[in-house]
Each structure stands twice: as structure tokens, then as C-alpha cells.
Amino acid sequence: MLGECQQQEARFMDCLEAYGLDRGRKKCTDLFEDYHECQTKTKQFKRFMAMRKERDRQIAEGKLKGDEKYVSPKVDSY
């Protein structure tokens, strides 16, 4: 009902409740960063773009040709 980030949000709110708003901003920064990443997925997008850039570089160098250009990675490779 609350979405995929409900656990991170609950942990962050529990931390803020335990420390208070002023001290919680410093003590709970890791939890906030996890929650923010879950909401925005910026690190995931940057990783995707880096992988795409590397694939394009390999295509330009001629390392990947034909059908190998856009083959998905193996299931257990990540």
C-alpha cells in the first residue's frame, strides 16, 4: 500500500523520532540517503548510463560486432 520504499521511510522516521529533529538530521543521514535513493534511483540511473557508455565505446572500437552489440548480460553476472 505504501510503495516499495516504505521500509526505508519507516526506518528514517523511527530514527528521527528517537533523536529528535535537530540531532536526527546528523545522526540519520545514512538512512535518509537510502530513502532518497529508493525514491529517485539516481545511482541506479548513473550506473545504467555508465554501462551504456562503455558498450558504445566498445562498439566504436570494434570489439562488439553484429548480434553481440545488444546482448543482455548473463543472469548471474551481477
Side-chain angles (χ1 to χ4, degrees):
M1 184 170 107
L2 297 175
E4 64 182 69
C5 301
Q6 68 183 8
Q7 290 179 343
Q8 286 91 347
E9 183 180 12
R11 281 190 224 123
F12 176 60
M13 291 300 164
D14 288 343
C15 183
L16 281 180
E17 184 178 344
Y19 288 107
L21 188 58
D22 293 331
R23 283 192 307 161
R25 288 182 183 172
K26 293 180 183 176
K27 297 259 186 188
C28 306
T29 55
D30 293 338
L31 295 172
F32 175 74
E33 289 173 4
D34 290 343
Y35 173 63
H36 187 260
E37 172 57 26
C38 183
Q39 289 288 324
T40 60
K41 305 211 184 314
T42 53
K43 291 179 186 177
Q44 181 178 351
F45 183 72
K46 287 179 183 179
R47 181 177 179 267
F48 166 75
M49 291 304 293
M51 290 169 44
R52 177 182 275 182
K53 185 177 177 181
E54 176 62 21
R55 183 178 60 213
D56 290 343
R57 185 189 66 79
Q58 288 182 7
I59 290 171
E61 288 181 357
K63 291 182 180 179
L64 298 177
K65 298 178 183 177
D67 292 337
E68 295 177 353
K69 287 183 182 179
Y70 300 106
V71 174
S72 297
K74 296 177 184 176
V75 174
D76 60 348
S77 65
Y78 52 104

